[in-house]
Amino acid sequence: MGLNIAKIRGLFPVLHQEVHGKPLVYFDNAATTQKPQAVLDALTNYYEKDNSNIHRGAHALADRATRYFEETREAIQHFINAREAAEVIFTKGTTESINLVAATFGRKFVEKGDEIIISTLEHHSNIVPWQMLCEEKGAVLKVIPINDAGEIIFEEFEKMLSAKTKLVSIVHASNALGTVNPVKKVIAAAHAVGAKVLLDGAQSSSHLQIDVQDLDCDFFAFSAHKLYGPTGLGGLYGKREVFESMPPYQGGGEMIKEVTFEKTTYNEIPFKFEAGTPNIADVISFKAAIDFINELGKDAIKAHEDELLAYANEQLMQIKGFIPVGTAQEKVSVLSFNINAMHPYDVGMMLDANGIAVRTGHHCTQPLMKRLGLEGTVRASFAVYNSKSEIDKLAEGVSRIARIKNK
Amino acid sequence: MSSIQEVQDEIVSEFEILGDDKESTIYYIMELGGSLEDFPDNERIEVNTIKGCQSKVWLIADEKDGNVHFQADSNTDITKGLISLLLRVLNYRSPEEIINAKLDFVERIGMGSIIGSQRSNGFASMIKQIKLYAMAIQTKQNA
Ligand SMILES: Cc1ncc(COP(=O)(O)O)c(C=O)c1O
């Protein structure tokens, strides 16, 4: 059964506004999604009724806040099908999750001459932490090449694997092109040489069913703000035995069992990795976002977004001067493109003047843009609340802009 | 030659005609870029780029009959248009005039809201670089 998009749109206050005198068309969902009213309500509700510090106070408010906080952890556990809630830790987002793995797992297990493998598709946040680690350790960073469609070349990846490979850290779905990587195959091949695998799930988590047990990944990093949830919050899944083998990330309150000046013993997971008072309000409100997704169902969301992507492709391909960028077989709802003889910034500005919000530039994937020989692209990315009539507006806008240089 | 103030007033009245239709304003700015002098290919090099601009901007200056002659280019049409506005006000003037110029048209046409805050920073960098070139030429003239 199809989703009632008009009804869904009604849940998102921010969508109902004009930009430069035109109704807002929000197609920058890969950067961040909008938040349903339920998330906003949960946020104010927490501050109005439950605000208190968690895991410590012996009073009713602290008790409630702690319970709601841990309920979000359980909601995430089910959302990604982790074995237990303790395998989910809260971070500021995908970026911090990856940095955490680099600073703990990386610092403990990666040694001189070891190798870490990433792909050409990576976001800067899945490149720079590994470069820093490799520099510190004298390890080597290897990069899986891609074909012109924007898909990793699996055979090349297989050739890179060896006993030296300590970690494969790869994007599940590319933010710049939408490519969905064959991560199950990647994980199996990496495990065969004894390497661990981190999936950057910043983009995939809102579009695809995530089952970390079926995937068998060792880490899965994601951001709440791309999942209809609050900004500045995310999480990291890790297998219990892997998390337990890692040293803590930051020192402070919450992460300890016992502190003396001579020696400190650390808390159990997940708390071992959550030093200090966490972002309680956003964690609690994030549950409303997960509930929102669950109520609609990932499969129904994906079906709707696939339909939008196919429709957008069909409409835009008819425009003279339209150049699609990234034509992988498997994609999430990201449409990257250029217009012949025009700079993406100019296209983005013209679309903005029409009330259409897109992202332009390198999308934090400069090495990928270099591989494609591009300075950047225009990126329209679709979420569950987008509609075909919005895509008609995009097509009309692009068509008018393309005509300037493509008579 | 009209004064700096007169040219700025002209620009302001042109933008007033466009009103607050954002699309036609941007389209107009992009068209203006077409009026820039051809930029010499061999000057499209790193040392001539302006730091702080999101898009690539090249700017060079030399002295012509005691005045400063600017040439500039960008890889984006909107930025080219913005540069052409600046040069329409400041090109071929004495170093002193350029250094002391009060560029009020930027604010009067509401540039900030037309191009957004990131591009506005880039625009400010361009103005700064134009004035630096004028100072360098003035120093040379006084030497
Ligand atoms: C694929 C990918 N990885 C990582 C990130 C970084 O996420 P965050 O900025 O939320 O930490 C993003 C966000 O743009 C992304 O799209």
Side-chain angles (χ1 to χ4, degrees):
Chain A
M1 204 189 67
L3 297 170
N4 183 343
I5 301 306
K7 194 167 152 221
I8 292 170
R9 290 183 72 80
L11 304 174
F12 289 80
V14 81
L15 295 176
H16 308 281
Q17 64 174 296
E18 292 201 336
V19 169
H20 311 305
K22 312 270 165 56
L24 168 67
V25 173
Y26 187 78
F27 282 159
D28 196 14
N29 294 290
T32 196
T33 53
Q34 300 302 343
K35 326 300 173 200
Q37 186 65 47
V39 170
L40 310 180
D41 289 346
L43 203 54
T44 42
N45 196 58
Y46 165 74
Y47 282 121
E48 282 174 4
K49 304 212 176 85
D50 306 320
N51 178 48
S52 53
N53 212 328
I54 54 167
H55 299 140
R56 28 191 114 166
H59 56 81
L61 267 60
D63 206 48
R64 271 207 308 270
T66 304
R67 196 167 71 238
Y68 295 150
F69 185 90
E70 290 304 322
E71 276 174 12
T72 300
R73 201 189 302 274
E74 284 158 29
I76 296 169
Q77 175 205 341
H78 299 302
F79 190 69
I80 61 173
N81 196 31
R83 268 159 301 249
E84 47 175 326
E87 292 181 323
V88 176
I89 61 180
F90 291 110
T91 64
K92 284 191 293 184
T94 306
T95 304
E96 190 180 35
S97 295
I98 296 172
N99 276 281
L100 185 154
V101 176
T104 57
F105 175 88
R107 204 161 284 154
K108 179 155 176 193
F109 296 110
V110 175
E111 288 165 8
K112 192 171 164 57
D114 283 346
E115 293 174 357
I116 295 172
I117 300 179
I118 60 174
S119 86
T120 308
L121 293 165
E122 303 313 318
H123 188 279
H124 294 163
S125 62
N126 196 27
I127 302 174
V128 185
W130 307 121
Q131 281 176 332
M132 288 161 64
L133 179 70
C134 286
E135 198 162 308
E136 183 186 321
K137 294 286 189 168
V140 182
L141 189 65
K142 299 207 144 183
V143 184
I144 311 168
I146 56 166
N147 61 24
D148 292 337
E151 297 162 316
I152 61 162
I153 303 172
F154 190 77
E155 298 71 43
E156 295 296 323
F157 166 63
E158 283 182 303
K159 283 187 220 153
M160 287 176 183
L161 288 167
S162 76
K164 285 194 226 155
T165 314
K166 277 285 143 68
L167 181 76
V168 176
S169 189
I170 188 172
V171 71
H172 192 178
S174 153
N175 62 307
L177 306 181
T179 310
V180 177
N181 276 322
V183 289
K184 244 186 123 160
K185 263 168 55 180
V186 168
I187 292 163
H191 283 171
V193 298
K196 300 282 186 252
V197 181
L198 183 154
L199 291 186
D200 171 352
Q203 295 297 329
S204 63
S205 47
S206 67
H207 304 291
L208 309 175
Q209 292 280 8
I210 306 297
D211 182 339
V212 291
Q213 292 186 62
D214 179 57
L215 290 168
D216 200 26
C217 55
D218 301 281
F219 302 105
F220 186 89
F222 59 94
S223 299
H225 71 94
K226 295 181 198 280
L227 281 161
Y228 308 99
T231 57
L233 176 73
L236 175 68
Y237 156 83
K239 286 180 181 165
R240 172 177 277 276
E241 59 275 20
V242 181
F243 266 171
E244 282 180 342
S245 72
M246 288 156 44
Y249 176 43
Q250 292 173 330
E254 196 90 359
M255 53 76 73
I256 49 89
K257 194 177 268 163
E258 193 182 354
V259 178
T260 64
F261 282 119
E262 289 70 42
K263 184 170 171 57
T264 293
T265 48
Y266 304 126
N267 206 336
E268 304 293 318
I269 66 162
F271 309 112
K272 180 168 103 178
F273 297 107
E274 294 178 351
T277 300
N279 185 351
I280 305 167
D282 287 320
V283 167
I284 289 175
S285 69
F286 182 35
K287 174 149 185 303
I290 297 172
D291 291 344
F292 164 78
I293 295 172
N294 287 340
E295 270 160 39
L296 299 178
K298 274 268 183 80
D299 291 338
I301 294 174
K302 176 82 165 56
H304 173 64
E305 290 172 344
D306 283 350
E307 197 180 324
L308 291 179
L309 182 64
Y311 183 68
N313 258 317
E314 196 183 296
Q315 298 297 306
L316 292 166
M317 284 304 273
Q318 296 170 23
I319 296 169
K320 193 169 164 198
F322 173 80
I323 307 163
V325 180
T327 49
Q329 289 284 324
E330 287 281 327
K331 275 181 68 164
V332 293
S333 52
V334 167
L335 183 64
S336 241
F337 64 93
N338 270 310
I339 292 177
N340 179 43
M342 292 191 79
H343 195 281
Y345 282 137
D346 292 333
V347 179
M349 285 279 282
M350 300 279 281
L351 287 173
D352 176 59
N354 285 286
I356 302 171
V358 294
R359 171 93 182 255
T360 62
H362 54 64
H363 317 296
C364 297
T365 56
Q366 284 180 357
L368 171 62
M369 292 298 133
K370 193 169 170 206
R371 158 64 182 83
L372 298 171
L374 299 172
E375 250 181 80
T377 72
V378 183
R379 180 188 72 186
S381 50
F382 312 123
V384 67
Y385 41 66
N386 290 127
S387 67
K388 282 192 178 171
S389 68
E390 289 182 302
I391 288 174
D392 289 336
K393 285 184 192 153
L394 173 71
E396 203 216 289
V398 170
S399 159
R400 223 178 25 244
I401 295 163
R403 241 173 286 146
I404 300 174
K405 296 274 176 85
N406 298 275
K407 299 270 188 258
Chain B
M1 188 166 171
S2 326
S3 72
I4 285 185
Q5 203 50 54
E6 283 163 354
V7 179
Q8 295 197 83
D9 290 344
E10 257 172 51
I11 293 175
V12 171
S13 55
E14 285 165 17
F15 274 78
E16 268 163 10
I17 295 168
L18 293 166
D20 47 8
D21 183 70
K22 178 139 182 191
E23 190 176 13
S24 19
T25 306
I26 289 179
Y27 193 81
Y28 180 66
I29 294 174
M30 286 171 69
E31 295 239 289
L32 290 175
S35 66
L36 279 179
E37 236 180 282
D38 280 343
F39 192 83
D41 276 334
N42 59 347
E43 297 285 2
R44 241 180 279 269
I45 47 176
E46 185 64 27
V47 290
N48 293 332
T49 60
I50 299 183
K51 307 278 173 293
C53 290
Q54 272 214 351
S55 27
K56 266 213 160 73
V57 176
W58 298 273
L59 178 72
I60 52 174
D62 59 351
E63 193 182 340
K64 264 215 169 84
D65 311 323
N67 291 330
V68 190
H69 166 228
F70 293 103
Q71 283 173 290
D73 199 5
S74 170
N75 59 346
T76 88
D77 286 337
I78 292 169
T79 309
K80 270 173 99 159
L82 298 175
I83 301 169
S84 82
L85 283 173
L86 273 180
L87 295 195
R88 185 166 146 202
V89 178
L90 297 173
N91 216 354
Y92 297 109
R93 296 194 184 272
S94 71
E96 199 183 349
E97 268 183 294
I98 296 168
I99 294 163
N100 297 325
K102 299 256 171 310
L103 295 175
D104 64 358
F105 82 94
V106 182
E107 205 164 303
R108 284 162 71 200
I109 64 176
M111 186 68 90
S113 73
I114 299 173
I115 61 176
S117 56
Q118 289 181 36
R119 266 215 168 81
S120 295
N121 291 341
F123 199 68
S125 306
M126 278 187 239
I127 295 173
K128 203 167 124 199
Q129 189 59 40
I130 284 175
K131 294 205 171 195
L132 282 173
Y133 271 127
M135 279 179 214
I137 288 175
Q138 188 181 48
T139 311
K140 212 167 69 189
Q141 285 174 346
N142 294 341

